[in-house]
C-alpha cells in the first residue's frame, strides 16, 4: 500500500504529467514552433536598427538672408518658443546663409509624436517671421537612410536628368510593395527675370512694381459658386503661370490705343534652376539620386525584389541613349549577406554542440538537446513579435550568442535523466526523477541569467535602442529553453536505452566505441593531472591565492596598458570608401570640385596599386565613383544628427564603391588607410575625413564651444 502511494505521488504534478504524456509534450513543442513561425512572417527585416536621436528639427529657409539676419529674425524667436516646453533637454541652432536649423533635444523616452505636435504648435504661434521666409518644416531626426539608392546619370541636360528621375520616382511609387521614393541631388526649378536698369528708368518702373504685377498676374482665385436648378457650379479663375512663355506674356502696361507692354518685351525670362552650390557626378557624368525608403511593415527583401524587377523590365529598356541607371547601394544585399553569415555561424555552432554532446552522451540524447535549442530559437521569434523587435544584424548576432548559454539547460536535465536510466530506473520514472532533482537549481540558474540581462533593457538613448534586441532575445530564449527543458525534453528522453541495452547496428557501435574512448581519456585526465592539481591547490592555499591575485592584476592591467582595446561598439565596415572634404569658408563650388577631383585621382592610384596582385580574371576591385559637392556623407554619422542646410560650396563627398566583401581579399579599411597615405597633407583644405564604415556610433569625444560674442568665439 505504501509503495502504491509513493508511486502515485511520484507520478503527480505538471512535470510528471508532461514527462509521461507524449501528446501533451509534443503539442507544447509544436505550439511553440507554430507561434514562432507565424510571428516570423510579421517581423520587419532590416540591415541595421533604426535609431531615434530624440531630436526634433525645425528648419526654415530664408532665401538671400545672411546668417546674422537669420539668427535675429528666425532662430532666436524659435528658441524662445520651444525652450520652455516640457521634456526639452537642450536646444541647438545653426544659422547658415539662406537657412535656419533649430534642433530640439528631448529627454529620453519622451513621446516623440506628442513632442512634435507641441513644438509645431509653439512655432506656428510666431507671427513675426520675415515676409520672404518659407514656412517652417518639422521632422523627428533618426539614423534612417534610404534602403536603396539609384543613380541616374548621363551626358544629357540637367533638366532631362531631373525629369527622368521624377518619372522613375512616379513609377516606383505606384508599385504595390514600394511606398516612399524621393529624388535628391537636384536643384529646384526657378524662373529668373532680369530687367535692365535703363529700361526701368525709361518706363518709370521699379523692380517692386514689376514684382507686384507678376504676383497679381500669376495666381488662381476662387470666385464662389452659381446655383442652378440641377446643380451647383463652382467658379474659379485660372491664372497661375508655370513656364517661361506664361511669364513673358504678363502685361505690365497698356495704352488707351490698345497697345500693351509685356514682360518679355523688356526683360529676359529664363526657365532654369536656382543658383545652388550643388554638383553631382557619377563616373564623371552628371547624375541625380533616386532614394527608396522602406516604410514600417514593409519587408526589405520584398521592396528590393520589386524594384530590381521593375528596373530590369521597364526602366532600363526605355532609357534614352547615353543615360544609365546604377544601383549604388542596396540594403537588402547587406541584410542578405549578414543574415547568411550569421545563420551559417549559428548552424555551425549548433553542429559543434551536437558533435561535442555526442562524444559524451548517447547520440539520441544529443539530438534531442539540439532540437531543444532550435525550438528555443524559434519560440523567441514570438517574443520578438510581441516587443516589436526587427530581424537585423544585432538580433541575429543575439541568436548566435544565446546558443552557447541556453545549451546548459538541456544538458543538465539530460544528464540527470540519463543517470537515472543507467541505474535501471524505468524510462518515464527516470525522466520524472531526473527533472525533479534539477528543477529548482535550473530555474534559479536561468532566472539569474535573466536578471543579468534585465539592466540592458534600460540603457537610455540611441545606444539603448541599437542594443535593445540583445536582452529581449536572450531573455526570451532563456525562458523558452527553461520551459522546453522542464516540460518537453523529459518526455523525449524517457525513451532512452537502459543499462541492459547493447548496440545492434554499426552506427550505434561506432558511437559506443567513440564514447568509450573519450570517457577513458577523460577519466585518465580527471584521475591524473586534474586530481594532482586539485591536491596541490588544497595543500598550498597561499600559492593558490597568490596565483589568483596575480592573474587578476595581470588581466586588469591589460586595459590601461592598451593591450586590450576598449570601445563601446566596433565599427562595421561597408563596401563604400568615403572621403569628406571641407574647404575653407568662402571657397566656391568649382574650386571644391577641383580639389575633390585630386582626391579622386589619388583614390584611383591606390586602387590600381592594390589591384596588381589580383588574378587577371578577377572582377575589378572598384565598381563605381560618385562625387558630390554641396553635401556631406549620408553614411555613418553616429548618434549625433546633422542639421538640414542648403548645399554648402565648401563641402564635398567622394565615394568609391568596392567589390563585395565576399569577392575581395582586401578590406575596406585597408583601402581607406592606403587612400589616406596617398593623399597626405593638403595645406589648402580645412579638413579631410576618411571612412569605410556603414554603421558607427559617432566620434568618441565631441567638444562644443559657445560664447555670446561671435568675434571672441
Amino acid at each position: 500500500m505504501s509503495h502504491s502511494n509513493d508511486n502515485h505521488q511520484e507520478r503527480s504534478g505538471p512535470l510528471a504529467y508532461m514527462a509521461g504524456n507524449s501528446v501533451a509534450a509534443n503539442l507544447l513543442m509544436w505550439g511553440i514552433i507554430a507561434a514562432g513561425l507565424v510571428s516570423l512572417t510579421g517581423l520587419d527585416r532590416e540591415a541595421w536598427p533604426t535609431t531615434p536621436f530624440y531630436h526634433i528639427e525645425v528648419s526654415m529657409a530664408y532665401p538671400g538672408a545672411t546668417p546674422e539676419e537669420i539668427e535675429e529674425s528666425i532662430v532666436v524667436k524659435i528658441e524662445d518658443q520651444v525652450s520652455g516646453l516640457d521634456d526639452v533637454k537642450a536646444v541647438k541652432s545653426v544659422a547658415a546663409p539662406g537657412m535656419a536649423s533649430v534642433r530640439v533635444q528631448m529627454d529620453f523616452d519622451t513621446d516623440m509624436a506628442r513632442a512634435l505636435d507641441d513644438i509645431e504648435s509653439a512655432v506656428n504661434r510666431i507671427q513675426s517671421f520675415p515676409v520672404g521666409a518659407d514656412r517652417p518644416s518639422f521632422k523627428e531626426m533618426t539614423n534612417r537612410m534610404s534602403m536603396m539608392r539609384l543613380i541616374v546619370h548621363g551626358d544629357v541636360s540637367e533638366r532631362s536628368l531631373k525629369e527622368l528621375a521624377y518619372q522613375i520616382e512616379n513609377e516606383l511609387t505606384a508599385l504595390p510593395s514600394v511606398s516612399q521614393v524621393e529624388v535628391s541631388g537636384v536643384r529646384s526649378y526657378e524662373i529668373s527675370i532680369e530687367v535692365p536698369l535703363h529700361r526701368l528708368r525709361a518706363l518709370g518702373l521699379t523692380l517692386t512694381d514689376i514684382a507686384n504685377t507678376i504676383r497679381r498676374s500669376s495666381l488662381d482665385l476662387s470666385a464662389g459658386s452659381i446655383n442652378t436648378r440641377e446643380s451647383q457650379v463652382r467658379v474659379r479663375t485660372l491664372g497661375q503661370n508655370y513656364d517661361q512663355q506664361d511669364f513673358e506674356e504678363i502685361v505690365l502696361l497698356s495704352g488707351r490705343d490698345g497697345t500693351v507692354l509685356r514682360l518679355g518685351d523688356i526683360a529676359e525670362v529664363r526657365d532654369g534652376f536656382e543658383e545652388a552650390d550643388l554638383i553631382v557626378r557619377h563616373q564623371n557624368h552628371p547624375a541625380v539620386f533616386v532614394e527608396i525608403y522602406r516604410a514600417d511593415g514593409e519587408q526589405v527583401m520584398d521592396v528590393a525584389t520589386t524594384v530590381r524587377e521593375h528596373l530590369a523590365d521597364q526602366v532600363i529598356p526605355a532609357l534614352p541613349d547615353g543615360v544609365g541607371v546604377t544601383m549604388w547601394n542596396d540594403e537588402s544585399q547587406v541584410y542578405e549577406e549578414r543574415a547568411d553569415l550569421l545563420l551559417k555561424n549559428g548552424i555551425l555552432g549548433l553542429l559543434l554542440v551536437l558533435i561535442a554532446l555526442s562524444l559524451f552522451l548517447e547520440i539520441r540524447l544529443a539530438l534531442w538537446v539540439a532540437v531543444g535549442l532550435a525550438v528555443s530559437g524559434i519560440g523567441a521569434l514570438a517574443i520578438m513579435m510581441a516587443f516589436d523587435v526587427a530581424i537585423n544584424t544585432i538580433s541575429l548576432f543575439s541568436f548566435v550568442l544565446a546558443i552557447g548559454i541556453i545549451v546548459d539547460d538541456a544538458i543538465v536535465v539530460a544528464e540527470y535523466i540519463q543517470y537515472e536510466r543507467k541505474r535501471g530506473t524505468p524510462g518515464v520514472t527516470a525522466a520524472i526523477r531526473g527533472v525533479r532533482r534539477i528543477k529548482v537549481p535550473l530555474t534559479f540558474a536561468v532566472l539569474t541569467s535573466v536578471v543579468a540581462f534585465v539592466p540592458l533593457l534600460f540603457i537610455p538613448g540611441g545606444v539603448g535602442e541599437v542594443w535593445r534586441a540583445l536582452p529581449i532575445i536572450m531573455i526570451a530564449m532563456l525562458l523558452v529553453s527553461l520551459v522546453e527543458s522542464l516540460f518537453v525534453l523529459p518526455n523525449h528522453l524517457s525513451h532512452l536505452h537502459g543499462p541492459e541495452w547493447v548496440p545492434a547496428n554499426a552506427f550505434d557501435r561506432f558511437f559506443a566505441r567513440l564514447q568509450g574512448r573519450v570517457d577513458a581519456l577523460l577519466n585518465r585526465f580527471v584521475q591524473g593531472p586534474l586530481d594532482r592539481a586539485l591536491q596541490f591547490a588544497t595543500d598550498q592555499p597561499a600559492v593558490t591565492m597568490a596565483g589568483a591575485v596575480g592573474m587578476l592584476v595581470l588581466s586588469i592591467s591589460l586595459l590601461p596598458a592598451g593591450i586590450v582595446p576598449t570601445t563601446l561598439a566596433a565599427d562595421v565596415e561597408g563596401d563604400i570608401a568615403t572621403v569628406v572634404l571641407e574647404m575653407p569658408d568662402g571657397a566656391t563650388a568649382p574650386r571644391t570640385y577641383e580639389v575633390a577631383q585630386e582626391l579622386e585621382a589619388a583614390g584611383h592610384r591606390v586602387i590600381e596599386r592594390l589591384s596588381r596582385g589580383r588574378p587577371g580574371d578577377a572582377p575589378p576591385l572598384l565598381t563605381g565613383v560618385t562625387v558630390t559637392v554641396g553635401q556631406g556623407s549620408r553614411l555613418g554619422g553616429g548618434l549625433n544628427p546633422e542639421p538640414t542646410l542648403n548645399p554648402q560650396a565648401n563641402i564635398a563627398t567622394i565615394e568609391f564603391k568596392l567589390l563585395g566583401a565576399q569577392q575581395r581579399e582586401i578590406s575596406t579599411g585597408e583601402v581607406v588607410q592606403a587612400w589616406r597615405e596617398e593623399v597626405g597633407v593638403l595645406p589648402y583644405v580645412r579638413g579631410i575625413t576618411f571612412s569605410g564604415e556603414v554603421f558607427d556610433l559617432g566620434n568618441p569625444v565631441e567638444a562644443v564651444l559657445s560664447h555670446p560674442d561671435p568675434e571672441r568665439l
Side-chain angles (χ1 to χ4, degrees):
M1 184 70 178
S2 176
H3 176 74
S4 176
N5 290 336
D6 292 342
N7 186 55
H8 176 73
Q9 186 176 4
E10 189 174 63
R11 293 295 184 110
S12 63
L15 294 180
Y17 175 79
M18 296 298 292
N21 193 323
S22 298
V23 175
N26 289 323
L27 187 62
L28 176 59
M29 182 185 71
W30 286 109
I32 294 174
I33 294 175
L37 295 179
V38 170
S39 301
L40 179 62
T41 60
L43 291 175
D44 288 341
R45 293 170 176 82
E46 58 189 11
W48 307 105
T50 301
T51 306
F53 292 139
Y54 293 100
H55 282 69
I56 293 176
E57 183 187 40
V58 183
S59 58
M60 194 170 183
Y62 186 9
T66 64
E68 291 76 13
E69 293 174 332
I70 289 178
E71 179 185 16
E72 181 179 353
S73 60
I74 296 178
V75 170
V76 173
K77 296 176 181 179
I78 295 178
E79 288 179 341
D80 292 341
Q81 283 290 328
V82 302
S83 58
L85 297 177
D86 294 337
D87 300 325
V88 173
K89 185 177 182 179
V91 179
K92 301 177 182 179
S93 305
V94 176
M99 194 71 180
S101 172
V102 180
R103 290 168 293 162
V104 185
Q105 183 180 359
M106 312 301 297
D107 292 330
F108 295 137
D109 298 327
T110 299
D111 184 351
M112 296 304 291
R114 178 188 59 80
L116 185 62
D117 292 339
D118 293 343
I119 291 175
E120 187 171 354
S121 299
V123 174
N124 287 335
R125 287 196 295 267
I126 302 175
Q127 302 296 323
S128 56
F129 283 134
V131 176
D134 296 342
R135 294 182 60 84
S137 61
F138 308 85
K139 70 174 182 179
E140 179 186 354
M141 307 184 77
T142 67
N143 70 333
R144 180 170 175 263
M145 298 185 302
S146 60
M147 61 159 288
M148 302 178 77
R149 167 177 275 194
L150 308 180
I151 301 181
V152 185
H153 56 92
D155 287 323
V156 294
S157 66
E158 183 178 0
R159 182 179 295 273
S160 299
L161 273 182
K162 184 174 181 178
E163 291 176 352
L164 181 58
Y166 277 113
Q167 178 183 339
I168 295 175
E169 176 190 4
N170 294 333
E171 293 179 6
L172 293 178
T173 306
L175 298 176
S177 300
V178 183
S179 59
Q180 185 177 0
V181 183
E182 295 179 2
V183 174
S184 64
V186 295
R187 297 187 296 171
S188 301
Y189 290 119
E190 181 181 80
I191 300 290
S192 62
I193 301 172
E194 296 182 3
V195 186
L197 182 59
H198 67 276
R199 293 183 182 177
L200 290 175
R201 290 176 176 175
L203 297 171
L205 297 174
T206 64
L207 287 177
T208 302
D209 296 333
I210 294 179
N212 291 333
T213 302
I214 294 174
R215 188 177 296 110
R216 291 192 303 267
S217 303
S218 180
L219 48 83
D220 295 337
L221 288 177
S222 176
S225 61
I226 300 175
N227 294 323
T228 65
R229 181 178 301 176
E230 291 81 12
S231 63
Q232 184 182 66
V233 180
R234 295 179 180 177
V235 180
R236 183 177 178 83
T237 61
L238 302 178
Q240 181 68 51
N241 299 321
Y242 292 99
D243 55 29
Q244 176 180 343
Q245 185 176 359
D246 292 338
F247 282 93
E248 289 177 341
E249 293 298 321
I250 293 177
V251 177
L252 296 178
L253 297 173
S254 59
R256 295 181 179 179
D257 56 355
T259 59
V260 294
L261 178 67
R262 304 181 187 276
L263 182 61
D265 297 333
I266 66 170
E268 181 180 357
V269 182
R270 288 195 297 267
D271 189 353
F273 298 89
E274 66 177 0
E275 293 184 2
D277 297 315
L278 182 64
I279 301 174
V280 181
R281 295 289 185 271
H282 176 70
Q283 303 294 81
N284 292 322
H285 299 304
V288 175
F289 301 134
V290 179
E291 312 281 3
I292 302 166
Y293 294 87
R294 182 187 64 85
D296 292 339
E298 294 179 346
Q299 304 300 337
V300 61
M301 298 305 300
D302 294 341
V303 176
T305 301
T306 302
V307 171
R308 290 198 205 101
E309 291 177 353
H310 183 77
L311 289 177
D313 299 338
Q314 303 293 332
V315 175
I316 295 179
L319 290 176
D321 294 337
V323 178
V325 175
T326 300
M327 183 81 70
W328 185 245
N329 76 285
D330 185 354
E331 185 180 292
S332 67
Q333 291 182 350
V334 178
Y335 168 81
E336 201 168 18
E337 291 176 359
R338 304 283 176 179
D340 289 345
L341 179 62
L342 290 172
L343 286 176
K344 289 178 181 177
N345 290 340
I347 294 173
L348 180 60
L350 196 62
L351 183 61
L352 291 176
V353 168
L354 179 61
I355 294 174
L357 291 176
S358 63
L359 295 177
F360 302 95
L361 304 175
E362 187 178 332
I363 185 62
R364 295 172 62 186
L365 184 150
L367 287 173
W368 280 119
V369 170
V371 169
L373 293 177
V375 171
S376 301
I378 296 174
L381 296 174
I383 309 298
M384 291 175 61
M385 184 71 175
F387 286 90
D388 194 24
V389 177
I391 298 178
N392 51 46
T393 303
I394 302 298
S395 57
L396 291 174
F397 167 75
S398 302
F399 276 105
V400 177
L401 181 64
I403 291 177
I405 298 177
I406 67 172
V407 68
D408 295 339
D409 303 348
I411 289 177
V412 293
V413 172
E415 284 183 329
Y416 273 92
I417 295 176
Q418 187 182 39
Y419 171 75
E420 290 291 337
R421 287 294 289 137
K422 286 184 177 180
R423 292 177 56 191
T425 308
V428 175
T429 304
I432 295 173
R433 290 179 181 177
V435 71
R436 280 182 171 170
R437 289 182 62 185
I438 197 61
K439 65 177 182 179
V440 174
L442 178 62
T443 301
F444 277 96
V446 170
L447 293 180
T448 302
S449 300
V450 169
V451 170
F453 285 102
V454 166
L456 297 180
L457 294 170
F458 303 100
I459 298 177
V463 176
E465 291 294 332
V466 170
W467 293 102
R468 174 173 173 265
L470 176 63
I472 292 177
I473 293 174
M474 296 298 298
I475 293 173
M477 290 190 68
L478 283 167
L479 296 179
V480 175
S481 174
L482 178 63
V483 172
E484 199 277 340
S485 299
L486 295 179
F487 294 98
V488 177
L489 184 62
N491 177 267
H492 294 155
L493 299 184
S494 65
H495 305 290
L496 290 176
H497 298 299
E500 72 284 352
W501 175 75
V502 177
N505 54 59
F507 181 80
D508 289 336
R509 287 194 295 270
F510 168 77
F511 274 98
R513 289 195 301 269
L514 179 62
Q515 290 170 2
R517 293 179 181 177
V518 172
D519 189 56
L521 292 174
L522 182 61
N523 286 331
R524 186 183 305 173
F525 172 75
V526 171
Q527 300 298 330
L530 181 60
D531 185 64
R532 290 192 296 270
L534 293 175
Q535 186 66 39
F536 176 82
T538 305
D539 296 339
Q540 304 291 335
V543 177
T544 303
M545 291 298 298
V549 172
M551 291 296 296
L552 178 63
V553 172
L554 178 63
S555 301
I556 295 176
S557 64
L558 295 177
L559 294 176
I563 299 176
V564 177
T566 58
T567 180
L568 178 63
D571 295 333
V572 181
E573 284 191 353
D575 294 331
I576 297 179
T578 304
V579 176
V580 178
L581 167 68
E582 183 178 0
M583 297 289 289
D585 290 336
T588 63
R591 173 55 182 162
T592 303
Y593 183 58
E594 289 179 5
V595 180
Q597 287 180 307
E598 295 180 21
L599 299 178
E600 179 186 353
H604 282 292
R605 292 194 297 270
V606 168
I607 295 297
E608 182 180 357
R609 185 170 66 250
L610 295 177
S611 300
R612 289 172 186 168
R614 305 181 74 237
D617 57 347
L621 183 60
L622 181 65
T623 61
V625 179
T626 298
V627 179
T628 306
V629 175
Q631 296 177 349
S633 174
R634 70 188 191 96
L635 300 175
L639 300 178
N640 187 25
E642 295 294 330
T644 300
L645 300 175
N646 289 328
Q648 299 171 276
N650 65 324
I651 300 294
T653 302
I654 305 97
E655 294 181 344
F656 275 32
K657 185 176 182 180
L658 306 177
L659 195 64
Q662 307 295 331
Q663 301 174 273
R664 53 183 164 89
E665 301 79 17
I666 303 171
S667 68
T668 307
E670 292 173 336
V671 174
V672 169
Q673 181 60 31
W675 198 354
R676 181 184 291 110
E677 295 173 355
E678 180 70 22
V679 171
V681 178
L682 300 180
Y684 45 84
V685 305
R686 173 180 289 180
I688 304 177
T689 303
F690 295 83
S691 174
E693 289 79 30
V694 68
F695 181 81
D696 61 60
L697 296 180
N699 299 323
V701 177
E702 290 187 354
V704 178
L705 303 180
S706 63
H707 194 276
D709 185 1
E711 296 296 331
R712 188 171 182 182
L713 180 63

